[in-house]
Amino acid sequence: MTRGLLVPGRGIPRPEHWLRQWADTHPEYRWAPEPPGPPLILNDRVAALHAAVSESEESAIIIAHSAGCITTAVWAAANHAGPVRAALLVTPPCVRSFEPDDPSDIPWPVIRRTLPFRSVLVASRNDPYTTFAQFEQLAEDWGADLVDAGAVGHLDSATGFGPWPDGERLVGRLG
């Protein structure tokens, strides 16, 4: 069995958010880390992801949303040594000029290296944090397959995404 590692964004997913629903309905999925909410300290998030990946030799798929995609890219560039077979990266924010919540944290420029595992980046045509062209550039930089999800906002509960069966199908194809 492949385990799923859920990497949350900056906030705490509401009960109706697809990421929270997947955590509740898939026993093979676990948080990496449990959503702590703001502030987002990238050092802490990267360490938590590394701990989750390293706790087992069982194959894993990373399922990241928003800033969780940045956590995944930074972890992969610095620490990837575990059994990650793939990643689903959902609506990563554009962070060119982003300042970290804690000045002592890792600077947030997006790592522009090809990820060392297969990845799919899900893009939105009307995301408030990232243009479609920026999604295309991130997908190219990370070596990810780009999936155009249409006009789905930030693909979160605020834009109507509780259940997200298309996302579950994407994870199934990565497995």
Side-chain angles (χ1 to χ4, degrees), residues 12-172:
I12 297 175
R14 296 179 187 152
E16 63 273 14
H17 191 288
W18 61 270
L19 207 58
R20 175 75 63 190
Q21 290 187 5
W22 291 8
D24 293 343
T25 59
H26 291 275
E28 70 279 17
Y29 291 2
R30 69 175 294 264
W31 292 106
E34 180 73 31
L40 191 149
I41 309 300
L42 198 53
N43 276 320
D44 295 346
R45 299 285 183 101
V46 169
L49 176 56
H50 188 66
V53 169
S54 301
E55 74 182 15
S56 171
E57 288 300 316
E58 184 180 3
S59 161
I61 294 175
I62 293 174
I63 302 164
H65 180 246
S66 190
C69 301
I70 306 306
T71 299
T72 301
V74 171
W75 171 80
N79 296 313
H80 179 67
V84 173
R85 70 178 341 168
L88 179 66
L89 306 167
V90 181
T91 60
C94 181
V95 294
R96 279 192 199 142
S97 60
F98 189 86
E99 293 297 324
D101 287 342
D102 178 337
S104 69
D105 196 15
I106 300 170
W108 264 56
V110 175
I111 303 300
R112 301 267 184 204
R113 295 185 197 157
T114 301
L115 298 175
F117 38 77
R118 184 173 170 217
S119 59
V120 170
L121 188 149
V122 178
S124 170
R125 291 280 176 177
N126 63 341
D127 190 292
Y129 307 110
T130 312
T131 67
F132 196 79
Q134 290 166 332
F135 284 130
E136 290 176 314
Q137 186 61 58
L138 282 172
E140 183 179 323
D141 292 344
W142 290 342
D145 295 333
L146 181 70
V147 172
D148 181 349
V152 294
H154 196 52
L155 224 151
D156 56 10
S157 52
T159 52
F161 284 88
W164 183 38
D166 289 342
E168 290 184 283
R169 283 189 282 281
L170 288 170
V171 171

